[in-house]
Amino acid sequence: MSQLLPDEAAERLVSTCRTTVGDNARSVTFFSRTDHEQLYLRDDLEQDADLMAFIGTERQDFAMASDGYSGTELGEYRYTLRVFENGYAVRIDGRDKGVLVTSDGMALRDFNHLASAVAATLEEWEGED
């Protein structure tokens, strides 16, 4: 299934996202600072979309978000939510990796649940490094 993650880890990440987001899940992409892999794409979506520009933007923001907001009165950075005409993109960052989940409409509390579940999974993996 995955080149960046062991199959079991990729399946767990997709399951975590799909369980949290439900049928609103559009895609799940795992990325590192140098590579990315789409782990899930809903059947009714364009299967040959080019992710390079999307992931390039997220990688660029990856360092800026963690460094740029460090020590502010807002508290610890949790996740980035981007709102589009036809859905949402949520980026959850780990220490040196991240997950980009796209979805149809959801309530803000659902994004919070998603970010918490994915962050816990990433933290668990980072502890194994």
Side-chain angles (χ1 to χ4, degrees):
M1 176 181 206
S2 173
Q3 301 298 315
L4 291 177
L5 293 171
D7 287 347
E8 184 178 320
E11 289 169 12
R12 179 174 171 202
L13 187 55
V14 169
S15 176
T16 297
C17 294
R18 299 239 18 244
T19 297
T20 306
V21 179
D23 291 338
N24 286 327
R26 295 170 67 92
S27 68
V28 177
T29 304
F30 178 82
F31 66 93
S32 67
R33 293 188 185 272
T34 58
D35 206 356
H36 71 277
E37 184 171 4
Q38 189 168 62
L39 304 176
Y40 169 78
L41 181 63
R42 199 169 66 198
D43 291 338
D44 65 325
L45 299 174
E46 193 174 310
Q47 299 294 310
D48 60 351
D50 182 12
L51 292 174
M52 286 304 295
F54 228 77
I55 294 300
T57 298
E58 297 309 324
R59 266 197 205 109
Q60 195 170 35
D61 266 8
F62 190 57
M64 290 181 4
S66 58
D67 295 341
Y69 297 112
S70 177
T72 70
E73 292 179 3
L74 293 172
E76 188 176 328
Y77 168 79
R78 295 188 53 212
Y79 63 92
T80 297
L81 172 62
R82 299 185 193 282
V83 180
F84 297 91
E85 181 180 353
N86 296 319
Y88 301 89
V90 181
R91 186 187 77 234
I92 304 101
D93 300 335
R95 185 173 52 218
D96 61 353
K97 54 188 123 302
V99 178
L100 181 68
V101 180
T102 62
S103 73
D104 294 330
M106 292 174 24
L108 184 57
R109 73 177 178 283
D110 295 331
F111 290 114
N112 286 327
H113 292 306
L114 173 64
S116 295
V118 170
T121 301
L122 290 174
E123 285 175 22
E124 182 180 317
W125 294 342
E126 289 170 349
E128 295 173 2
D129 289 345

